[in-house]
Amino acid sequence: MVAQTRTANTTQKKLSFNEKLVGKNLGTDALLKKLKALHTELAGLDQEIVDVNSLSSVRTQLIHTSLLLHKERGVKAYVACCLADLLRLYAPDAPYTVTELRDIFQFFFRQLSAGLKSTESTYYNEYFHLLESLSVVKSVVLVCDLPNAEELMIEVFRDFFALVRRDLAKKIELFIADILIALIDECQSLPSEVLEVIMGQFMDKNARMDQPAYRLAVQICNTTADKLQRHVCQYFTDIIITNSRDLQSESDFEEIRTAHELVKQLARSCPSLLHSVIPQLEEELRVEEVQVRLIVTQTLGEMFGDKGGSDLIRKYPSTWSVWLMRKGDKAALVRLKLVESARGLVLNLPEHRETIEDVLRLKLLDPDDKVRAAVCKVYSQIDYETALHHVSTSQLRAVAGRGMDKKHTVRVEALNAIGKLYALAYPEIENGDPSAIEHFSWIPNQVFHIANVTLESKPAAEQVIADHIFPFPSLPNVASTSTSKNIEVDEVAWMDRLLNVMQYLDDTAINAVLSMSGVKVNRPTAYEHFLQTCIQNNGGVIDEDEEAVKRKLGSIIRHLSKHFPDPHKATEDLQAFAKANENRLYKLLKTCMDLQSDLKSIVKASNEFLRRVEQSHESILSTMTIFLRRCTLRILNQSSISPLLKRLQKSSSSSVASPMTKHVHQLLTYVSKHCPALHKAHIGELTKAIADEKNTMLVELGMQALAAVVRTDESLPSLDRRTVDRIMKFALGENARVAKFASRLLASLKGCHEQCKNIIESVAQRLPDAEPEVLVAHTALLVQMARFRSEAFEHRSDDIMAFLVKKLLLSPSQDDDGDMDVDNDWVNDDDIPPILRARIQALKVCRNRCLAHASSPNAIDIATPALKMFTTLTQHSGSFKVDARDSPSIKSRMRLQAAISLLHLSTIEAYATVINPHFVWLAVTVQDPCYHVRMIFLTKLISLLSPRKLPPRFNTVPFLTVLDPEDDIRNRATAYVSLANRTLPPAARVEYLEMIFIRLLHLLAHHPDFSIAHENLQDMAKYVEFYLDQIISSENISLLYHLAMKAKTVRDAESHTYSEHLYAMSELAQELIKARAQARSWALQSFPGKVKLPSDIFRSLPNPEAAVKILKTVYLPQETIEWLAEAAKPHKTAATTAVKEKRREAREARERSPQGAKRKASRLRVNGAAK
């Protein structure tokens, strides 16, 4: 108890009050009056000068039971105040016995509990005085000397914590804190119940500093930390030991979990209490019991990740290190808990960034998918500033890499994380912030690459693209329809976002954007067919052709569901949607699919569609969300055209080099090529655009768009005379691209036959004297006229074709010998010299003329010279003569154009028959020494194979890419074959992918590099293995083996030598198929059906004796037979081994070669030594 020194020399002051406080005839009012007077006098006395002897009378009377137990609250309030004053005046010695003191303090605390409930209480000031006295004088410490001190302390703490919850005045809270702190400081031993009362304030998960009881507990703990440390540690230890003896049920762990929650709360508010507890937690990290490790890992993780985490790590570095070691815990749940705590670490521990990133990067490769997903989720929960300043770009790229994880949940979390961060960063990227651009602008590029890699990753990537990269503009919630009609959507900002994103995309990603836009699809789409069939199905109530409608609906659903993440669920959900038969949903879907719907209509219809589906058919929402996303023009639609044209109008013709202008050009060109109907609502704008002669790019794109829309929609009104004259002027101009589209537009317009004839006449006269640049423009015009106005072209075709062939194509190259560079085998589009460009256009004229006359009786007569010219160019590497000294770059361009022309002409059955004898030379273009020739040829081939425009035999060509030194060519071919194999109907799959096996063997037998030598046959085996890798299955192995066998029952149509090659390939294929069957435990049964071999490449054997002789003869060398037998043992095929070896060598070569350089095929044609 605080004592004050009495001054001996000062005159002592006596208490003047001498009235009786106890008596039978004393009324309550009189007693109150006396007590009030006494309290007033006692409160005014100074401890240093009071004569304590004068206090004896009142000292004895005040503890009389009639006063302490008086019915009147006021009496007890004043008695309590007077007693408190007496204790102050007598300090440091109490004037009462131990028993009396116990009763007094119990009396005090009862009064305080009852009297401080509200400031409105009648005697609130007296209770306030009592509390203040106990706090200031510290007379309460006398409690610690009483025999039952512990019981009284427990009562005090319980009462005061209950009292403080009433949200009392701040001063009262401070007085209570002083009293309780004094009790803890002075007590000999702290009762465990008192500690439990204090700790109980931290147990509430929602405890906050604005809660008085929690605030009081925090103040007490921080002030008495030195004394409480040992007690808190013992308290925590007792809980752990008590509950760790027999850990059987979840309830046993609940107490341990609660104790750790308490530690976590203490760390947040009173970290100094935990000096001895943290090392104990460190030991828990090492225990065998998984649940305990789980709890302590989570607890420490949240503590380290809190705002005071840095101090904690500085004070307990050993605990931090041991906690980090849990990243390798044998229990996946423990590793998961560590990772889940990482968000706080990333946010609050920037100085430990490298350590945290190392741990998380390691956990991105954790064997458990939940751990990998949790790491990705951490980065979806951080804000933009944290990601920018405290997360490295390499770490974000590592997270993005998990977008190709084998587990769906990981892919979703990874893509969602980087998508959210990009959405947060986009405003800064748009404003040109260099840090934001460097840190986040690569994200869309990565997402589009991931979407392209596998079908498994595509749905998650599509979702992120729709939500975060190209989100729809949001519409405010409006109650009335009339108001909603006036809502505007910012189409310019929406379009600018696409252009801004495209600035940071590479060619592959841009192609993915265009592909995902839904612009380039055959219409009506499968989604439109589904909707139409749903309407016909009418929920199952069908008026006519019931079986046909149901069969069609089932077929479409099967086709669509193949492309969903869960095909089985997609099938059920699409059937449920059809069964629901809600006309409003059908109408909304129609709006979303309609090419003439603007952005606002699409956004409103999409939102309403999803809202209605969620309300009435929630179980199918996920499937219908994907369906809606894929059937809607979300990226490019009718509303895109105006903003794109306006961007071009603002830019001058000199801004072609601007990346954004290039992307505008790319988008408008793409729309014109693949979905010109989007231009229909903008005919007026496009007509105005072609009048701006100063803006060449705008004129070019306007012409292209008008030509495309006029050709596809005959219902459009005719253009005025002035516009037609302008088009004719541009068609005869010097700009090749403008002339190309102007002539195409003119050829497509109704009633312009005379104008077309006049233009052809004019060009025919100008050709001989035309300068190179003008010659390019005129040949570009002729390409269009030959295709779309053949009757006008034929008016002067003799003169034109004579000039193009004799004067242009067959004239010697103008390149000097000194300019020829054997390593420079390609010239980029922008660098093609005008004469070469004109020669390429001349080849296109020849091709288009053939296509225009495809249905005429004399088609073959017209086409024969052109076909001969094209085949000559493919066979002579791009020259018309074997010994021509043309530049390699010219030859590569010429043979590429010839090969592509042959592909186009092969789509016409009559021409395909003529081309067929030269098929081998056309096919091996895919193995051209020049990378660009191979890639462009393969791309064009696939674009014609996908819609099945080419004969089935052309499907053999992609299999010739297996030895290509560039991954992207092999990958593109593999992707096409894989997609075709997965999506073709069964009958078409047999025709286009399985029956062609015999043609592949024939093609390889005719291959320019084929020989019976063992080394060569090893190469041939790789082609067959590549085919088998993609196509063979347990269902078709019998057919493929049968086809391989049948190759020895016929002879080649050309020569005996090729027959022997074919028989060797037959034996090789049989052995490889048998090895495959053995390795996969497939039954190799006889094919039950009959197969008719193609008569264009095979002939029957002359007699049975020849057949027997061929069957008995072995055409493979002994060395090859032994090699096949060895390779078949563990089915690690020689072909597979050789391909891996070749790729390893190619990798090493690439590392040695200049960065970015594309490699030539290692043979003249076929990736081997030049012949």
Side-chain angles (χ1 to χ4, degrees):
M1 181 172 171
V2 177
Q4 297 178 5
T5 307
R6 299 178 185 276
T7 307
N9 300 330
T10 307
T11 304
Q12 292 187 329
K13 191 173 182 179
K14 293 185 178 182
L15 178 70
S16 61
F17 183 86
N18 58 3
E19 297 190 40
K20 295 283 185 182
L21 297 174
V22 179
K24 288 184 179 180
N25 299 322
L26 195 60
T28 301
D29 291 340
L31 180 59
L32 271 171
K33 189 175 181 181
K34 290 180 181 181
L35 286 170
K36 188 174 182 180
L38 175 62
H39 168 54
T40 303
E41 188 176 354
L42 287 173
L45 290 174
D46 190 337
Q47 181 190 5
E48 294 185 1
I49 59 173
V50 68
D51 181 1
V52 291
N53 294 323
S54 65
L55 306 177
S56 299
S57 174
V58 294
R59 181 197 73 193
T60 307
Q61 291 183 75
L62 283 170
I63 60 169
H64 197 276
T65 52
S66 64
L67 294 179
L68 296 178
L69 300 176
H70 201 282
K71 293 179 182 178
E72 173 59 38
R73 285 181 61 211
V75 170
K76 289 188 281 188
Y78 279 110
V79 168
C81 289
C82 292
L83 284 171
D85 288 334
L86 284 176
L87 290 176
R88 173 179 63 83
L89 295 170
Y90 273 98
D93 301 314
Y96 297 109
T97 65
V98 168
T99 306
E100 290 169 341
L101 280 173
R102 182 198 64 195
D103 293 341
I104 288 170
F105 279 109
Q106 285 178 335
F107 174 68
F108 281 169
F109 298 133
R110 281 199 302 274
Q111 299 315 300
L112 290 171
S113 296
L116 285 174
K117 289 179 180 177
S118 167
T119 54
E120 304 299 322
S121 299
T122 312
Y123 299 101
Y124 178 81
N125 290 333
E126 283 66 37
Y127 294 125
F128 183 89
H129 175 81
L130 170 61
L131 189 68
E132 182 180 25
S133 177
L134 291 174
S135 167
V136 174
V137 179
K138 300 290 190 293
S139 56
V140 73
V141 299
L142 293 169
V143 169
C144 300
D145 299 326
L146 302 178
N148 61 339
E150 289 194 1
E151 294 175 16
L152 199 53
M153 276 185 72
I154 294 165
E155 187 180 340
V156 171
F157 272 83
R158 283 177 180 162
D159 289 348
F160 275 6
F161 270 104
L163 179 64
V164 82
R165 289 182 188 277
R166 296 171 186 162
D167 203 15
L168 305 173
K170 186 71 177 174
K171 264 193 171 182
I172 291 179
E173 192 180 314
L174 293 173
F175 292 155
I176 290 175
D178 288 343
I179 292 167
L180 298 182
I181 288 167
L183 285 173
I184 291 173
D185 283 340
E186 293 296 324
C187 70
Q188 297 296 320
S189 63
L190 186 71
S192 59
E193 288 88 344
V194 168
L195 189 63
E196 285 176 7
V197 170
I198 298 172
M199 295 296 103
Q201 313 311 314
F202 295 94
M203 294 295 193
D204 184 1
K205 289 182 179 179
N206 298 317
R208 303 183 309 275
M209 285 303 285
D210 59 352
Q211 295 172 342
Y214 178 75
R215 193 163 58 235
L216 175 62
V218 169
Q219 186 178 353
I220 291 170
C221 290
N222 282 328
T223 308
T224 61
D226 291 343
K227 186 157 188 175
L228 288 181
Q229 274 178 11
R230 178 173 55 83
H231 296 286
V232 169
C233 182
Q234 188 60 47
Y235 173 81
F236 183 72
T237 305
D238 290 345
I239 292 176
I240 299 298
I241 292 173
T242 306
N243 291 281
S244 298
R245 286 176 187 147
D246 186 20
L247 294 170
Q248 305 243 338
S249 65
E250 183 60 31
S251 58
D252 297 326
F253 291 106
E254 198 54 45
E255 287 295 325
I256 297 177
R257 196 172 282 110
T258 304
H260 285 80
E261 282 291 327
L262 172 60
V263 173
K264 199 163 61 187
Q265 287 282 12
L266 290 174
R268 198 169 288 135
S269 309
C270 319
S272 52
L273 277 185
L274 301 176
H275 183 69
S276 303
V277 175
I278 301 296
Q280 195 170 338
L281 294 180
E282 181 181 326
E283 290 305 312
E284 281 188 90
L285 288 169
R286 299 185 175 100
V287 301
E288 279 298 313
E289 179 56 55
V290 174
Q291 279 292 339
V292 174
R293 292 205 309 280
L294 202 62
I295 293 167
V296 74
T297 300
Q298 180 180 359
T299 302
L300 280 171
E302 292 179 16
M303 287 164 63
F304 288 134
D306 215 336
K307 289 183 179 177
S310 292
D311 294 333
L312 203 61
I313 292 172
R314 195 162 46 251
K315 288 178 185 174
Y316 308 101
S318 169
T319 307
W320 168 245
S321 298
V322 175
W323 182 79
L324 287 175
M325 288 168 61
R326 288 305 95 210
K327 68 180 182 288
D329 197 287
K330 60 186 177 182
L333 285 173
V334 176
R335 303 197 300 274
L336 180 62
K337 285 297 176 189
L338 180 137
V339 166
E340 287 175 344
S341 312
R343 176 178 177 271
L345 307 181
V346 174
L347 290 172
N348 299 315
L349 299 177
E351 65 272 30
H352 296 278
R353 185 181 94 173
E354 288 186 14
T355 304
I356 297 162
E357 284 199 353
D358 288 345
V359 170
L360 292 179
R361 191 178 292 117
L362 182 67
K363 291 297 95 188
L364 281 171
L365 304 175
D366 194 273
D368 191 276
D369 58 290
K370 292 185 181 67
V371 176
R372 300 197 300 275
V375 177
C376 299
K377 192 170 185 179
V378 166
Y379 291 97
S380 72
Q381 297 170 333
I382 61 177
D383 59 274
Y384 167 72
E385 291 296 332
T386 302
L388 180 65
H389 299 296
H390 304 311
V391 181
S392 66
T393 309
S394 61
Q395 187 75 349
L396 292 179
R397 286 185 181 275
V399 173
R402 288 296 92 207
M404 291 183 285
D405 197 278
K406 60 184 178 181
K407 292 289 186 178
H408 176 69
T409 51
V410 183
R411 295 195 296 269
V412 168
E413 290 294 351
L415 291 168
N416 197 42
I418 60 172
K420 280 184 176 178
L421 289 175
Y422 182 79
L424 293 173
Y426 176 74
E428 302 304 321
I429 294 172
E430 187 181 28
N431 292 334
D433 183 341
S435 301
I437 290 170
E438 181 186 355
H439 221 64
F440 303 104
S441 65
W442 56 270
I443 288 175
N445 195 68
Q446 186 77 4
V447 173
F448 282 110
H449 276 265
I450 289 169
N452 258 6
V453 172
T454 61
L455 274 179
E456 290 74 19
S457 59
K458 191 170 185 178
E462 283 180 344
Q463 185 67 51
V464 167
I465 291 163
D467 292 346
H468 303 300
I469 296 176
F470 296 135
F472 264 162
S474 56
L475 290 177
N477 291 325
V478 287
S480 67
T481 310
S482 59
T483 312
S484 68
K485 287 179 182 176
N486 299 324
I487 295 171
E488 292 301 323
V489 172
D490 193 344
E491 296 173 349
V492 175
W494 169 73
M495 203 61 231
D496 282 350
R497 182 161 184 141
L498 172 60
L499 294 170
N500 282 322
V501 169
M502 287 179 73
Q503 285 190 87
Y504 306 102
L505 301 183
D506 60 23
D507 290 344
T508 304
I510 287 176
N511 288 335
V513 171
L514 297 176
S515 173
M516 208 172 283
S517 68
V519 169
K520 185 183 177 180
V521 290
N522 294 324
R523 300 187 187 278
T525 65
Y527 304 101
E528 289 171 310
H529 280 302
F530 171 75
L531 178 58
Q532 189 56 41
T533 312
C534 283
I535 295 169
Q536 292 172 358
N537 185 59
N538 195 29
V541 183
I542 305 166
D543 296 331
E544 54 185 30
D545 295 333
E546 182 174 348
E547 286 303 316
V549 171
K550 287 185 175 179
R551 192 164 54 248
K552 183 180 177 184
L553 181 62
S555 173
I556 294 171
I557 288 175
R558 281 193 301 276
H559 171 74
L560 289 174
S561 61
K562 288 178 188 175
H563 304 282
F564 280 74
D566 184 347
H568 179 69
K569 183 179 186 305
T571 301
E572 292 181 345
D573 290 351
L574 292 173
Q575 287 171 343
F577 178 81
K579 188 175 180 181
N581 196 37
E582 292 191 23
N583 288 327
R584 180 59 185 166
L585 293 180
Y586 293 163
K587 187 177 179 182
L588 292 169
L589 268 186
K590 271 187 177 178
T591 302
C592 292
M593 294 180 191
D594 188 356
L595 295 177
Q596 300 309 316
S597 293
D598 61 8
L599 179 63
K600 177 180 169 183
S601 302
I602 293 173
V603 173
K604 285 174 64 179
S606 297
N607 291 347
E608 185 182 345
F609 178 84
L610 293 175
R611 187 176 68 250
R612 284 177 176 271
V613 170
E614 186 177 15
Q615 288 169 354
S616 54
H617 314 284
E618 191 175 358
S619 61
I620 68 171
L621 179 62
S622 59
T623 298
M624 295 315 296
T625 301
I626 296 174
F627 181 96
L628 180 68
R629 190 169 63 235
R630 290 178 177 176
C631 75
T632 305
L633 295 179
R634 298 179 57 92
I635 298 174
L636 273 174
N637 57 44
Q638 188 250 89
S639 294
S640 308
I641 308 303
S642 282
L644 291 173
L645 289 173
K646 283 172 185 171
R647 270 207 171 269
L648 279 182
Q649 286 165 357
K650 289 176 185 176
S651 66
S652 64
S653 57
S654 61
S655 65
V656 175
S658 157
M660 192 167 285
T661 307
K662 283 185 177 178
H663 293 137
V664 172
H665 185 285
Q666 195 170 11
L667 292 172
L668 285 172
T669 300
Y670 193 76
V671 171
S672 297
K673 278 186 178 180
H674 303 294
C675 193
L678 295 181
H679 291 309
K680 187 175 179 180
H682 307 279
I683 296 294
E685 285 179 84
L686 292 169
T687 306
K688 209 179 280 184
I690 65 173
D692 187 358
E693 298 185 16
K694 293 180 181 177
N695 195 331
T696 309
M697 184 181 288
L698 182 62
V699 172
E700 174 201 321
L701 292 168
M703 288 287 187
Q704 184 180 16
L706 283 171
V709 75
V710 166
R711 282 188 60 217
T712 54
D713 192 341
E714 296 181 357
S715 64
L716 293 174
S718 301
L719 299 178
D720 61 84
R721 179 63 181 270
R722 190 176 174 186
T723 304
V724 172
D725 290 342
R726 185 179 293 120
I727 294 168
M728 289 182 67
K729 178 185 172 186
F730 281 122
L732 291 169
E734 296 182 6
N735 187 301
R737 287 191 62 79
V738 174
K740 170 185 174 180
F741 296 120
S743 55
R744 182 184 296 176
L745 174 56
L746 195 63
S748 305
L749 289 172
K750 295 177 186 175
C752 288
H753 182 71
E754 284 303 316
Q755 288 91 333
C756 291
K757 277 181 68 176
N758 294 339
I759 279 186
I760 293 289
E761 187 70 40
S762 177
V763 168
Q765 292 172 5
R766 295 182 186 185
L767 280 177
D769 304 318
E771 291 296 320
E773 290 290 350
V774 179
L775 186 60
V776 175
H778 287 346
T779 50
L781 177 147
L782 293 173
V783 171
Q784 303 304 313
M785 288 296 174
R787 182 72 182 92
F788 303 115
R789 284 284 183 171
S790 58
E791 68 281 6
F793 181 84
E794 290 304 322
H795 180 64
R796 291 296 301 271
S797 62
D798 291 344
D799 297 333
I800 293 170
M801 294 308 297
F803 174 82
L804 295 181
V805 174
K806 294 176 182 177
K807 301 293 185 182
L808 188 57
L809 290 171
L810 296 179
S811 63
S813 171
Q814 299 299 312
D815 290 355
D816 295 326
D817 291 349
D819 293 338
M820 287 197 301
D821 180 2
V822 291
D823 292 326
N824 185 19
D825 62 356
W826 184 254
V827 56
N828 291 324
D829 290 351
D830 295 337
D831 302 323
I832 299 176
I835 289 297
L836 175 56
R837 198 181 296 274
R839 294 175 75 185
I840 293 170
Q841 298 281 18
L843 293 177
K844 291 182 180 179
V845 173
C846 298
R847 178 198 69 195
N848 280 1
R849 186 169 179 238
C850 296
L851 291 172
H853 290 275
S855 57
S856 68
N858 58 342
I860 298 298
D861 295 335
I862 293 173
T864 299
L867 293 174
K868 184 178 179 182
M869 183 167 56
F870 295 145
T871 54
T872 301
L873 286 170
T874 57
Q875 291 171 12
H876 294 165
S877 301
S879 297
F880 289 102
K881 297 178 182 178
V882 179
D883 56 351
R885 294 182 56 80
D886 293 336
S887 165
S889 59
I890 291 178
K891 291 166 71 174
S892 62
R893 280 286 184 176
M894 292 294 285
R895 67 178 177 268
L896 172 62
Q897 186 55 53
I900 289 176
S901 296
L902 287 173
L903 286 180
H904 280 289
L905 294 174
S906 295
T907 60
I908 309 298
E909 187 177 353
Y911 299 153
T913 306
V914 179
I915 294 169
N916 194 35
H918 310 285
F919 177 73
V920 174
W921 284 105
L922 178 58
V924 295
T925 304
V926 84
Q927 296 178 324
D928 193 276
C930 176
Y931 164 81
H932 296 90
V933 172
R934 302 197 303 275
M935 177 54 87
I936 296 170
F937 177 79
L938 179 64
T939 304
K940 177 56 70 175
L941 174 72
I942 290 172
S943 72
L944 293 172
L945 283 175
S946 297
R948 288 185 267 168
K949 291 182 178 179
L950 287 168
R953 62 174 169 270
F954 280 86
N955 275 297
T956 58
V957 179
F959 298 105
L960 298 183
T961 61
V962 67
L963 297 182
D964 198 288
E966 293 294 341
D967 289 341
D968 51 355
I969 290 179
R970 289 195 307 273
N971 292 342
R972 183 165 295 192
T974 304
Y976 160 70
V977 175
S978 175
L979 181 66
N981 194 30
R982 196 170 54 250
T983 56
L984 281 175
R989 187 163 58 246
V990 171
E991 181 185 2
Y992 280 83
L993 293 178
E994 294 173 7
M995 290 300 295
I996 64 163
F997 185 47
I998 190 75
R999 287 190 176 273
L1000 177 63
L1001 298 181
H1002 175 268
L1003 174 60
L1004 296 174
H1006 281 253
H1007 200 286
D1009 279 355
F1010 186 91
S1011 76
I1012 300 294
H1014 171 64
E1015 294 76 12
N1016 184 272
L1017 287 171
Q1018 284 181 307
D1019 272 351
M1020 295 297 118
K1022 294 166 194 172
Y1023 296 116
V1024 178
E1025 282 280 22
F1026 182 41
Y1027 174 86
L1028 297 178
D1029 287 340
Q1030 303 301 319
I1031 304 300
I1032 200 167
S1033 67
S1034 56
E1035 288 80 21
N1036 65 18
I1037 188 170
S1038 297
L1039 170 61
L1040 298 183
Y1041 188 72
H1042 181 71
L1043 289 170
M1045 288 174 60
K1046 290 282 282 183
K1048 287 191 75 174
T1049 65
V1050 291
R1051 60 188 176 88
D1052 191 272
E1054 286 192 37
S1055 72
H1056 177 69
T1057 303
Y1058 285 131
S1059 293
E1060 291 187 347
H1061 293 179
L1062 178 66
Y1063 302 151
M1065 286 307 306
S1066 169
E1067 293 173 5
L1068 181 63
Q1070 289 178 59
E1071 293 302 320
L1072 292 172
I1073 292 172
K1074 283 194 288 188
R1076 189 70 60 113
Q1078 181 183 342
R1080 300 188 182 180
S1081 304
W1082 288 344
L1084 192 54
Q1085 299 172 342
S1086 299
F1087 183 68
K1090 289 185 178 181
V1091 172
K1092 184 181 179 183
L1093 298 185
S1095 59
D1096 58 322
I1097 54 175
F1098 298 127
R1099 298 288 182 269
S1100 300
L1101 292 172
N1103 51 58
E1105 291 77 15
V1108 172
K1109 182 181 178 183
I1110 291 168
L1111 288 173
K1112 288 183 177 180
T1113 305
V1114 176
Y1115 291 88
L1116 287 177
Q1118 185 60 33
E1119 188 180 358
T1120 304
I1121 293 170
E1122 292 171 0
W1123 171 73
L1124 287 167
E1126 183 65 28
K1129 286 178 183 175
H1131 188 59
K1132 187 174 182 181
T1133 63
T1136 306
T1137 309
V1139 168
K1140 286 182 179 177
E1141 180 64 21
K1142 191 170 185 72
R1143 288 181 185 172
R1144 182 186 64 77
E1145 292 171 359
R1147 250 193 329 271
E1148 292 172 358
R1150 184 162 60 239
E1151 288 164 5
R1152 291 192 297 268
S1153 66
Q1155 189 162 0
K1158 292 295 182 183
R1159 288 159 293 155
K1160 295 182 180 183
S1162 55
R1163 297 189 184 178
L1164 178 61
R1165 285 250 176 220
V1166 199
N1167 317 310
K1171 295 185 286 296

